[in-house]
Amino acid sequence: MRPYRLLTTLATACALLATLLVSPASATISGATATNTATTVTYRFSYTGTPQFLRVYVDTDRNPSTGFAQGGTGSDYLLENGSLYQHTGTGWSWTLVRSVTFTNTGGVAQWTVDRADLGETATPNDADLIFQAEAPLETSAKYTQTYTGGTSGGDVSYTPSTENFANPERGFYHHTGDCDKADFSQSTLASYRTSQGISLVMCVFYLAEYKNGPIAQAALDQLQQQLATVRASGLKMVLRLTYTTSTTGDDATKDRVLAHLDQLAPYLAAGKDVIAVVQTGLIGAWGEWYYTQNFGNAGVVSATDWANRKAVTDKLLSVVPSTRMIQLRTPKFKRTMYSTTPVQPGDAYNGSSLSRIGHHNDCFLASADDFGTYENPSVEYPYLQAETTYVAMGGETCGVNAPRSQCPTATAELAQFHWSFINTDYEPNVLNSWNSGGCLATVSKNLGYRFRLESGTYPATASPGGSLPISFTVHNDGYATPFNPRNLELVLRNTSTGTTYKLPIASDARRWTAGTSTTVSQTLTVPSSLPAGSYALLLNLPDPLLSTRPEYSIRLANQSTWDAATGMNSLLHTLTVS
């Protein structure tokens, strides 16, 4: 019996063209992992489509000059579907070793092989692997597995990834029109995530027709529909409600705004799972609080005007779900209406008004004071730097102002003020200067959080009902942290059945501070009902409101850890429960 090799020259050419045209997020193979016990090794990857052949090439001696040449390796063994083969002779020449444990369900292929059948005795303690699916032919990059040893626990070191990929509630966002009138397209939004690595879309929802009366049901239905489309596409929304684009400032009165917010409350509650943050808006042209007929125009703001502005902000806080933040346009607004003291670590995320009000800057770097964003930078810069450690920060550029708007200042201030998101559609000349200046890719990767595992220590064995001490260190290479709640779980996945068991970990990723490493150490308890067997360990950071949607889970910036089918991150370690 010999493995079957399709002669797919045309398919291979087409696959290559697809690779050139489509982001890696759309590739067939993802989530490739290799874990081991003292006696077995388990290979696993996720795929899309309906390939006829699923393969793993294993280079046990890591010598590319011996074995079958594939992807920079010299493969000594081949797993194809349910059979293990050993390379003999030259070229595509294989001899059947034996049938192996193989499962192929739900777009996930998995093999468990005796290490003895691979001639593997943990010397030299590693192997090079290539994962493959056909047809069409899709081949992974080389994956190096380091065996974790047998019956004793040990340390795992993780390799960083430089890949730019989508993660929820961070990065560049698209703003392509007013979403009270132009319907979102689910396919277009989904392509932002899969082809561009973008997970956010801006919705500026104008209420211009309702300044003198209640919001029509058709408009409320439109908002609900837009939220549903965002949800179906796997993105999240930055929402702003406002009344006018005119510098005449023809907005609504305070009482009308408050009444409208009462109408909007149930729709905001229903959409909280896909609302990343709400920008305060509501007052003045574009919702930026400068040109306004009802709340103090062109910077001339009386005490009554400030009281009315605060009434609107307080009302917005009351109707936006308590797990979500809002954002104000300038630091002065929060400092005037609430406190000149930035949010303190002990008060962060406690649900208070101070902890829920963030900031947005819609003229980033456009002038010395960002076109009025700052009134007193010597005071407001340190305030904003401290504030945005714990509250959401984002916005857009609005005009070239070299050299301030170029890469050195841009990257410094994005990091200083912990930016999570910025508009990719405006202002194009500024963004083009970042591209030509060589920092656009860095900005794209570092907006918001970017977590990568550095190391981990896990036991090799455990017993049902017994203790499970774990420790791992994660570094945040991003400019910020997540600003919305996020669960953290250790997942035990049976290597034979694929059944998962989730154990909560008591650490808040919102406090994994930008630019620092955080070590999480906890002794968990193995469920007393857990069947004996071999379990791959994974780390899961799901959205509490969308825990069954893998596209809303956080991906770590490491090589060979991400499983796109489940939204989990392999810890590259196997636990034996007995």
Side-chain angles (χ1 to χ4, degrees):
M1 181 177 179
R2 291 164 58 86
Y4 186 63
R5 188 182 194 188
L6 291 178
L7 300 176
T8 52
T9 304
L10 180 59
T12 302
C14 292
L16 177 59
L17 180 59
T19 301
L20 293 173
L21 296 177
V22 181
S23 158
S26 297
T28 298
I29 294 174
S30 64
T33 62
T35 57
N36 69 278
T37 67
T39 59
T40 65
V41 59
T42 297
Y43 307 107
R44 177 187 175 99
F45 68 84
S46 301
Y47 62 89
T48 56
T50 55
Q52 184 179 358
F53 300 102
L54 299 162
R55 304 185 182 110
V56 184
Y57 296 87
V58 185
D59 182 356
T60 53
D61 62 7
R62 300 194 66 198
N63 184 350
S65 65
T66 64
F68 178 71
Q70 179 66 253
T73 72
S75 297
D76 305 295
Y77 291 88
L78 168 68
L79 287 158
E80 183 178 79
N81 296 347
S83 299
L84 172 67
Y85 301 88
Q86 185 173 13
H87 189 256
T88 56
T90 59
W92 187 258
S93 177
W94 303 92
T95 299
L96 177 67
V97 176
R98 62 182 298 172
S99 296
V100 298
T101 301
F102 171 65
T103 59
N104 175 25
T105 58
V108 178
Q110 180 172 295
W111 297 260
T112 298
V113 184
D114 288 341
R115 289 170 68 171
D117 287 334
L118 296 170
E120 194 289 305
T121 58
T123 302
N125 200 43
D126 49 24
D128 286 335
L129 311 173
I130 298 290
F131 300 89
Q132 191 175 77
E134 186 180 4
L137 187 66
E138 293 284 353
T139 303
S140 75
K142 182 173 72 175
Y143 176 116
T144 299
Q145 176 192 11
T146 300
Y147 294 98
T148 58
T151 58
S152 62
D155 296 335
V156 181
S157 296
Y158 299 97
T159 304
S161 169
T162 59
E163 184 180 348
N164 187 12
F165 49 82
N167 250 332
E169 301 176 336
R170 59 149 301 277
F172 282 106
Y173 69 83
H174 271 298
H175 178 204
T176 56
D178 302 335
C179 78
D180 55 300
K181 295 181 175 62
D183 290 346
F184 286 139
S185 160
Q186 181 180 335
S187 61
T188 299
L189 296 191
S191 73
Y192 292 162
R193 179 173 52 82
T194 59
S195 298
Q196 301 177 30
I198 287 176
S199 68
L200 286 168
V201 63
M202 168 70 83
C203 170
V204 179
F205 201 96
Y206 284 94
L207 301 168
E209 297 94 330
Y210 312 111
K211 286 179 283 193
N212 299 309
I215 303 171
Q217 186 60 47
L220 298 171
D221 291 343
Q222 171 72 1
L223 178 59
Q224 185 176 45
Q225 173 187 305
Q226 300 287 58
L227 288 162
T229 303
V230 170
R231 182 181 299 110
S233 67
L235 270 67
K236 291 215 174 184
M237 174 189 290
V238 177
L239 175 62
R240 185 191 303 183
L241 302 155
T242 193
Y243 292 92
T244 183
T245 61
S246 173
T247 55
T248 63
D250 55 334
D251 47 12
T253 64
K254 179 196 75 173
D255 290 343
R256 181 63 63 199
V257 174
L258 301 184
H260 283 172
L261 288 173
D262 281 328
Q263 284 188 271
L264 289 159
Y267 298 89
L268 299 176
K272 67 180 179 181
D273 57 338
V274 291
I275 294 174
V277 67
V278 179
Q279 296 184 343
T280 304
L282 297 166
I283 295 172
W286 310 289
E288 294 194 26
W289 288 35
Y290 188 75
Y291 298 109
T292 166
Q293 294 181 9
N294 293 284
F295 295 89
N297 187 52
V300 180
V301 186
S302 68
T304 299
D305 294 327
W306 279 117
N308 289 340
R309 291 177 175 209
K310 187 173 186 299
V312 168
T313 308
D314 287 341
K315 183 66 172 182
L316 183 65
L317 283 167
S318 74
V319 301
V320 170
S322 61
T323 57
R324 292 296 178 261
M325 294 186 182
I326 69 170
Q327 292 178 302
L328 288 168
R329 175 61 183 85
T330 75
K332 178 180 179 178
F333 295 161
K334 185 174 181 180
R335 288 169 56 83
T336 300
M337 296 188 294
Y338 292 93
S339 174
T340 56
T341 302
V343 176
Q344 300 300 298
D347 297 323
Y349 317 119
N350 67 3
S352 66
S353 295
L354 283 177
S355 72
R356 292 179 59 207
I357 298 175
H359 304 268
H360 68 101
N361 179 351
D362 286 359
C363 266
F364 182 51
L365 308 177
S367 72
D369 62 1
D370 293 3
F371 280 0
T373 298
Y374 301 107
E375 188 173 80
N376 185 353
S378 65
V379 172
E380 291 165 335
Y381 266 41
Y383 164 83
L384 193 64
Q385 181 175 357
E387 269 270 296
T388 53
T389 303
Y390 303 109
V391 298
M393 178 72 190
E396 66 183 6
T397 60
C398 76
V400 172
N401 176 40
R404 175 165 165 73
S405 60
Q406 294 175 333
C407 281
T409 304
T411 54
E413 293 202 9
L414 289 168
Q416 181 180 4
F417 301 128
H418 306 104
W419 280 64
S420 284
F421 53 85
I422 196 166
N423 191 352
T424 191
D425 298 306
Y426 194 75
E427 202 272 347
N429 293 314
V430 176
L431 299 177
N432 287 339
S433 76
W434 293 359
N435 188 33
S436 61
C439 68
L440 188 65
T442 299
V443 170
S444 181
K445 286 191 288 189
N446 291 350
L447 282 165
Y449 57 88
R450 185 176 174 90
F451 298 136
R452 61 175 168 87
L453 288 165
E454 293 183 314
S455 62
T457 302
Y458 320 100
T461 61
S463 302
S467 62
L468 178 57
I470 65 164
S471 179
F472 61 86
T473 298
V474 61
H475 190 86
N476 186 355
D477 292 312
Y479 297 142
T481 64
F483 49 82
N484 286 328
R486 184 65 49 174
N487 289 347
L488 180 65
E489 302 166 335
L490 179 73
V491 180
L492 281 63
R493 183 168 64 199
N494 190 289
T495 59
S496 297
T497 66
T499 304
T500 59
Y501 304 84
K502 298 177 180 179
L503 308 180
I505 300 174
S507 181
D508 190 344
R510 293 176 297 182
R511 295 185 182 271
W512 295 356
T513 309
T516 66
S517 294
T518 300
T519 298
V520 178
S521 298
Q522 187 173 341
T523 298
L524 306 172
T525 300
V526 179
S528 58
S529 60
L530 188 72
S534 175
Y535 291 85
L537 300 187
L538 304 101
L539 196 65
N540 192 27
L541 292 96
D543 188 308
L545 301 178
L546 295 159
S547 60
T548 63
R549 299 282 299 275
E551 62 267 53
Y552 289 108
S553 292
I554 288 178
R555 175 179 176 178
L556 302 179
N558 293 97
Q559 294 182 23
S560 306
T561 56
W562 178 241
D563 186 342
T566 63
M568 299 179 191
N569 301 272
S570 173
L571 292 173
L572 306 181
H573 184 82
T574 302
L575 175 75
T576 299
V577 175
S578 59

